[in-house]
Amino acid sequence: DLLALCRAAGQLVTSGHIVSGGSTLSMQLARLIEPRDNRSLGSKLKQMLRAIQIERRLSKQEILERYLTLAPYGGNLEGVRAASLAY
């Protein structure tokens, strides 16, 4: 989401610290699959490219399922049971 990334970058420049993020769910999934060593522009670009690959290969439903399976929920809790995703 280019608009969200530009907004977040503008907030960083004007405030001097991170105010909000601009990552899409696909980018967050990419980060969970391949954790970055540091927070750099290069790492963010790699995450963006990986998110594009994810979106080309998976449906929105599959992206959401994989994100919910890997996302941390505080403490030692991770993921949501697949049965709870049924409509």
Side-chain angles (χ1 to χ4, degrees), residues 29-47:
L29 177 58
R31 181 180 48 80
L32 289 169
I33 292 170
E34 294 180 13
R36 359 175 222 181
D37 295 331
N38 57 26
R39 295 177 69 159
S40 67
L41 183 58
S43 293
K44 182 58 83 170
L45 290 173
K46 182 178 177 183
Q47 187 182 88

Side-chain angles (χ1 to χ4, degrees), residues 13-87:
V13 170
T14 58
S15 70
H17 64 279
I18 297 174
V19 176
S20 65
S23 294
T24 64
L25 195 59
S26 299
M27 289 174 67
Q28 292 179 35
L29 177 58
R31 181 180 48 80
L32 289 169
I33 292 170
E34 294 180 13
R36 359 175 222 181
D37 295 331
N38 57 26
R39 295 177 69 159
S40 67
L41 183 58
S43 293
K44 182 58 83 170
L45 290 173
K46 182 178 177 183
Q47 187 182 88
M48 291 167 67
L49 293 173
R50 186 69 64 216
I52 291 169
Q53 290 175 332
I54 288 169
E55 289 190 356
R56 287 184 176 169
R57 289 182 173 92
L58 302 175
S59 70
K60 294 294 184 187
Q61 177 71 27
E62 291 170 318
I63 292 170
L64 178 60
E65 288 173 359
R66 291 180 189 193
Y67 174 78
L68 291 174
T69 300
L70 296 172
Y73 293 95
N76 62 353
L77 301 175
E78 286 185 2
V80 173
R81 287 177 18 131
S84 65
L85 296 175
Y87 288 82

